[in-house]
Amino acid sequence: MKIPIIRGIIERRILVNFSVDPQVLARVIPAPFRPKLANGKGMAGVCLIRLAHIRPKYFPAFVGISSENAAHRIAVEWERNGQPCEGVFIPRRDTSSQLNTLAGGRLFPGMHHHARFEVFEQDDRYRIALNSDDGQTHLRIEGHTVAELPATSVFRSLKEASEFFERGSLGYSVTAKEGEYDGLELRSFNWKVQPLAIEKVESSFFDDRARFPDGSVSFDSALLMSGIDHEWHGREAICCAGNQ
């Protein structure tokens, strides 16, 4: 898929992170991907992102569009043409934008499902909920900014967590064609994260015990980014496990 370079502002991005048993996580992701580990644990989660002024790179900002979006993400590694690669596998994208839903898999990489978002942001407090129209995705988080990661996090420092997720800038998304995954790279020009203390988290994806048996997954941490100037660059699709 050849798309123009897309530019805009990430007004708010929250990464809600879960640590997962690597063997369980390996069953959730397709070849050629395998779990990328952080101190022995698989990492997965949801990116809750509000985009503004999204438009082709050389268009003026006022023609851009805005939307709330959620992407379920799994940190992965793989080889392509004999070279090691890392990024995220995205099994599900949800969006408030009907345009994104219609254009997903055509103009925008990956399938996008329409969802209803409820967002509350005041000072350092955040409450976000979403429910998809098809009933497949429910998510709710409540939290506030803090200075440090939870003591229970698999990451030993905020710097370690920031670097881990910054390296996951290349994402491959599920498409309408089985075994074909659209590639999209996020280039952030002012990457900076701060921790969120999460008081409540609900996730239909990570609470599914058929997918993640008891004891195989637990909430790890959450990170906040705000006011990030960025670009999206389309990347060559991965088509089936054998086309690497």
Side-chain angles (χ1 to χ4, degrees), residues 106-139:
R106 299 176 177 89
L107 298 178
F108 302 143
M111 295 177 61
H112 291 64
H113 305 270
H114 189 260
R116 301 174 305 283
F117 286 73
E118 298 177 6
V119 178
F120 171 84
E121 300 173 2
Q122 186 174 27
D123 299 326
D124 65 347
R125 300 199 63 82
Y126 295 84
R127 183 172 67 244
I128 302 173
L130 73 96
N131 290 281
S132 63
D133 293 357
D134 63 8
Q136 296 300 302
T137 301
H138 166 74
L139 183 76

Side-chain angles (χ1 to χ4, degrees), residues 7 34 48 76 81 124 154 159 174:
R7 184 129 194 191
R34 63 180 181 274
L48 295 165
V76 293
N81 299 322
D124 65 347
V154 302
K159 182 176 183 291
V174 166

Side-chain angles (χ1 to χ4, degrees), residues 5-202:
I5 297 173
I6 301 297
R7 184 129 194 191
I9 297 294
I10 296 173
E11 290 188 333
R12 181 261 301 134
R13 186 187 194 207
I14 294 176
L15 298 177
V16 184
N17 309 310
F18 293 80
S19 62
V20 189
D21 182 305
Q23 293 184 342
V24 172
L25 196 56
R27 299 197 294 264
V28 178
I29 56 180
F33 306 112
R34 63 180 181 274
K36 174 187 171 184
L37 305 185
N39 297 318
K41 289 288 189 177
M43 295 304 301
V46 185
C47 171
L48 295 165
I49 187 168
R50 182 168 65 243
L51 300 172
H53 308 303
I54 299 298
R55 78 282 183 190
K57 181 175 181 178
Y58 297 107
F59 282 40
F62 72 83
V63 304
I65 63 173
S66 300
S67 60
E68 289 281 353
N69 304 272
H72 285 76
R73 303 152 32 98
I74 300 169
V76 293
E77 299 173 326
W78 69 99
E79 281 78 39
R80 191 159 195 175
N81 299 322
Q83 298 298 314
C85 304
E86 63 179 305
V88 293
F89 171 66
I90 303 171
R92 173 86 182 193
R93 289 185 180 273
D94 292 279
T95 179
S96 67
S97 168
Q98 291 286 3
L99 175 61
N100 290 356
T101 303
L102 293 172
R106 299 176 177 89
L107 298 178
F108 302 143
M111 295 177 61
H112 291 64
H113 305 270
H114 189 260
R116 301 174 305 283
F117 286 73
E118 298 177 6
V119 178
F120 171 84
E121 300 173 2
Q122 186 174 27
D123 299 326
D124 65 347
R125 300 199 63 82
Y126 295 84
R127 183 172 67 244
I128 302 173
L130 73 96
N131 290 281
S132 63
D133 293 357
D134 63 8
Q136 296 300 302
T137 301
H138 166 74
L139 183 76
R140 182 181 183 90
I141 68 156
E142 298 179 15
H144 61 279
T145 57
V146 290
E148 302 290 341
L149 292 174
T152 54
S153 173
V154 302
F155 297 105
R156 293 175 289 239
S157 68
L158 179 60
K159 182 176 183 291
E160 183 181 54
S162 176
E163 291 175 349
F164 181 91
F165 291 108
E166 187 174 12
R167 292 195 301 270
S169 60
L170 175 57
Y172 279 92
S173 302
V174 166
T175 69
K177 296 181 180 179
E178 185 175 358
E180 183 170 310
Y181 311 106
D182 285 342
L184 190 65
E185 179 186 358
L186 170 63
R187 296 187 183 178
S188 301
F189 300 123
N190 49 332
W191 178 277
K192 185 179 180 180
V193 302
Q194 64 181 118
L196 283 180
I198 297 298
E199 301 151 6
K200 183 174 185 178
V201 58
E202 300 172 356

